[in-house]
Amino acid sequence: RLERLAETLQSQPKARAGDEYETLRQVIAMVENFHLEGDRAPREELLDAAVDGLLRSLDEHSSFMSAET
């Protein structure tokens, strides 16, 4: 898995200065490749969880609801 992650990261275009999404992309790739249950969480669910966490950090009334919720 480590080799696959390294290949994936190397094949991606290098992040430009100010590319705020690069960290999120790398963390999702790490979860998918290294977490014990990373293969069980679809990428869309991981992104929904990231967006929800961002909104919940604003205040106690903010949260994200996907179209499926």
Side-chain angles (χ1 to χ4, degrees):
R1 285 186 169 189
L2 180 57
E3 289 176 9
R4 188 170 66 201
L5 176 61
E7 290 171 3
T8 300
L9 293 176
Q10 289 174 354
S11 69
Q12 299 295 320
K14 297 294 181 202
R16 297 170 303 197
D19 187 356
E20 301 87 9
Y21 307 106
E22 180 62 18
T23 301
L24 178 59
R25 187 189 67 72
Q26 288 180 354
V27 170
I28 288 175
M30 290 173 65
V31 168
E32 290 175 330
N33 289 290
F34 296 118
H35 191 276
L36 291 175
E37 297 186 15
D39 58 341
R40 296 179 67 193
R43 181 171 283 228
E44 186 173 320
E45 284 183 22
L46 295 173
L47 287 170
D48 286 353
V51 171
D52 187 53
L54 177 119
L55 292 173
R56 287 179 185 270
S57 73
L58 298 175
D59 61 61
E60 61 191 49
H61 304 290
S62 297
S63 63
F64 177 74
M65 295 177 65
S66 70
E68 298 167 358
T69 306

